[in-house]
């Protein structure tokens, strides 16, 4: 037997005779993952080789964003309940997922401007600007803009869902409510407001976070929460920057297929911030 195994190994084969492999399965790997449906979703509209790359990168990114939303919504609920340890695990996972989203641009930039130009017309007016999952993630993090929902009015289910997220507290709003319950004096307009409006920085909130950062041993879990939120925004900004530079590298300063200014629009997004006091407080430490 030993000689047979060594011969098999030399031939580049793994001996499966004693491995108890289930050759017939009640539920196979492909069935569990619904691979037939998943792998039939890549349908290029042109004969150009690089369109498959473009489709796969964006579909994979949407799957990662789906998992981001799954984790971030659950983390927000744990923060609401003052259950911070499980929220920390989920927010750490979000940060790791964001790293994968950032890395995806490095694959896409292997496509040259000429490659993209050959099939860009196949996109019509479709654009990442219309990603309802991305919009939900922005709303959940606090970048509220009611006009953005209008891009989804033609899809009633998406429109209703995004409208509900727009009108609900963001993960930062929920974190500020927790600060208040922990004894930090925060103004009423930060705790109960029109959640569909963008959050405005507040001196009292910055003072509260400053107290947390200056007394980390006393408020360690709140300090860790603040840093998890900063991680999330930091990675989000890195993703935005990588997106902008990828677009600039491939199409220069052409208008986007969705009607935006392309690079000029993406540059504006870099100035947006989700958790302003968590950045401002660093100056005073």
């Amino acid at each position: 037997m030993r000689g047979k195994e060594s011969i098999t190994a030399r031939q580049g084969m793994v001996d499966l005779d004693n491995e108890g492999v289930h050759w017939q399965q009640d539920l196979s790997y492909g069935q569990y993952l619904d691979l037939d449906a998943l792998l039939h979703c890549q349908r290029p509209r042109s004969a150009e080789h690089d369109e498959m790359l473009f489709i796969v990168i964006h579909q994979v990114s949407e799957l990662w964003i789906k998992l981001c939303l799954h984790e971030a919504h659950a983390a927000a609920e744990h923060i609401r309940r003052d259950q911070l340890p499980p929220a920390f695990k989920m927010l750490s996972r979000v940060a790791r997922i964001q790293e994968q989203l950032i890395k995806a641009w490095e694959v896409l930039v292997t496509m040259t401007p000429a490659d993209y130009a050959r099939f860009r017309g196949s996109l019509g007016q479709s654009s990442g600007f219309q990603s309802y999952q991305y919009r939900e993630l922005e709303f959940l993090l606090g970048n509220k803009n009611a006009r953005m929902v209008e891009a989804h009015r033609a899809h009633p289910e998406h429109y209703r869902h995004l409208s509900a997220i727009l009108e609900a507290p963001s993960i930062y709003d929920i974190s500020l409510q927790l600060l208040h319950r922990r004894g930090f004096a925060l103004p009423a307009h930060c705790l109960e407001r029109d959640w569909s409006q963008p959050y405005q920085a507040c001196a009292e909130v910055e003072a509260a976070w400053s107290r947390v950062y200056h007394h980390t041993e006393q408020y360690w879990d709140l300090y860790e929460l603040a840093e998890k939120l900063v991680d999330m925004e930091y990675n989000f900004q890195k993703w935005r920057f990588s997106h902008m530079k990828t677009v600039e590298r491939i199409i220069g300063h052409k208008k986007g297929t969705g009607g935006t200014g392309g690079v000029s629009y993406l540059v504006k997004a870099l100035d947006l911030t989700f958790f302003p006091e968590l950045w401002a407080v660093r100056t005073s430490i």
Side-chain angles (χ1 to χ4, degrees), residues 37-110:
L38 182 65
L39 297 178
H40 277 85
C41 289
Q42 297 74 46
R43 296 191 291 272
R45 293 172 178 265
S46 75
E48 296 299 330
H49 177 82
D50 281 57
E51 190 176 0
M52 180 63 81
L53 165 66
F54 188 85
I55 290 171
V56 168
I57 287 292
H58 286 83
Q59 288 183 344
V60 168
S61 294
E62 288 290 337
L63 287 173
W64 280 128
I65 294 173
K66 181 175 183 175
L67 186 54
C68 263
L69 288 168
H70 177 71
E71 299 295 336
H73 276 297
E77 186 56 34
H78 280 294
I79 296 168
R80 190 193 312 276
R81 298 176 184 176
D82 200 349
Q83 298 170 341
L84 294 186
F88 294 156
K89 178 182 178 181
M90 293 165 181
L91 293 175
S92 293
R93 185 174 293 165
V94 168
R96 296 295 180 88
I97 296 167
Q98 289 175 303
E99 291 173 9
Q100 300 303 312
L101 286 164
I102 294 165
K103 288 287 186 182
W105 297 121
E106 296 181 12
V107 182
L108 190 60
V109 295
T110 63

Side-chain angles (χ1 to χ4, degrees), residues 241-261:
F241 180 79
S242 296
H243 183 194
M244 182 271 291
K245 296 306 291 185
T246 299
V247 170
E248 184 179 32
R249 176 169 175 166
I250 295 176
I251 69 167
H253 289 267
K254 295 186 183 77
K255 286 181 68 66
T257 50
T260 68

Side-chain angles (χ1 to χ4, degrees), residues 8 40 64-65 69 73 80 123 126 131 163 177 185 232 240:
T8 301
H40 277 85
W64 280 128
I65 294 173
L69 288 168
H73 276 297
R80 190 193 312 276
L123 274 65
S126 66
S131 168
S163 296
Q177 290 171 344
M232 190 158 51
R240 280 173 165 167

Side-chain angles (χ1 to χ4, degrees), residues 7-219:
I7 291 172
T8 301
R10 285 198 301 272
Q11 292 173 336
M13 298 168 58
V14 175
D15 183 6
L16 298 175
D17 288 349
N18 300 311
E19 296 300 324
V21 174
H22 298 295
W23 298 109
Q24 301 295 325
Q25 310 91 14
D26 294 329
L27 178 66
S28 71
Y29 173 82
Q31 289 169 323
Y32 176 72
L33 296 178
D34 204 5
L35 287 183
D36 285 345
L38 182 65
L39 297 178
H40 277 85
C41 289
Q42 297 74 46
R43 296 191 291 272
R45 293 172 178 265
S46 75
E48 296 299 330
H49 177 82
D50 281 57
E51 190 176 0
M52 180 63 81
L53 165 66
F54 188 85
I55 290 171
V56 168
I57 287 292
H58 286 83
Q59 288 183 344
V60 168
S61 294
E62 288 290 337
L63 287 173
W64 280 128
I65 294 173
K66 181 175 183 175
L67 186 54
C68 263
L69 288 168
H70 177 71
E71 299 295 336
H73 276 297
E77 186 56 34
H78 280 294
I79 296 168
R80 190 193 312 276
R81 298 176 184 176
D82 200 349
Q83 298 170 341
L84 294 186
F88 294 156
K89 178 182 178 181
M90 293 165 181
L91 293 175
S92 293
R93 185 174 293 165
V94 168
R96 296 295 180 88
I97 296 167
Q98 289 175 303
E99 291 173 9
Q100 300 303 312
L101 286 164
I102 294 165
K103 288 287 186 182
W105 297 121
E106 296 181 12
V107 182
L108 190 60
V109 295
T110 63
M111 183 172 63
T112 69
D115 295 332
Y116 183 51
R118 292 189 186 99
F119 69 85
R120 191 183 188 216
S122 301
L123 274 65
Q125 295 180 333
S126 66
S127 166
F129 177 82
Q130 300 150 3
S131 168
Y132 56 89
Q133 288 200 128
Y134 174 81
R135 197 63 60 206
E136 179 178 352
L137 185 57
E138 276 205 321
F139 286 175
L140 180 59
L141 296 185
N143 185 25
K144 302 292 186 75
N145 185 336
R147 290 189 64 192
M148 296 299 189
V149 183
E150 293 305 308
H152 308 279
R153 187 176 282 277
H155 303 276
E157 183 179 347
H158 300 161
Y159 184 81
R160 285 193 297 270
H161 183 66
L162 283 175
S163 296
I165 301 298
L166 175 72
E167 295 166 5
S170 71
I171 195 168
Y172 193 54
D173 293 319
I174 293 168
S175 298
L176 297 185
Q177 290 171 344
L178 175 62
L179 275 182
H180 181 68
R181 292 197 302 274
R182 291 284 194 93
F184 290 84
L186 300 182
H189 67 80
C190 291
L191 304 170
E192 292 295 336
R193 60 186 185 85
D194 181 353
W195 305 121
S196 68
Q197 296 301 307
Y199 175 79
Q200 300 295 324
C202 172
E204 290 90 341
V205 171
E206 183 177 341
W209 285 122
S210 179
R211 185 170 146 200
V212 169
Y213 273 83
H214 280 94
H215 303 280
T216 56
E217 292 186 5
Q218 183 179 355
Y219 302 114

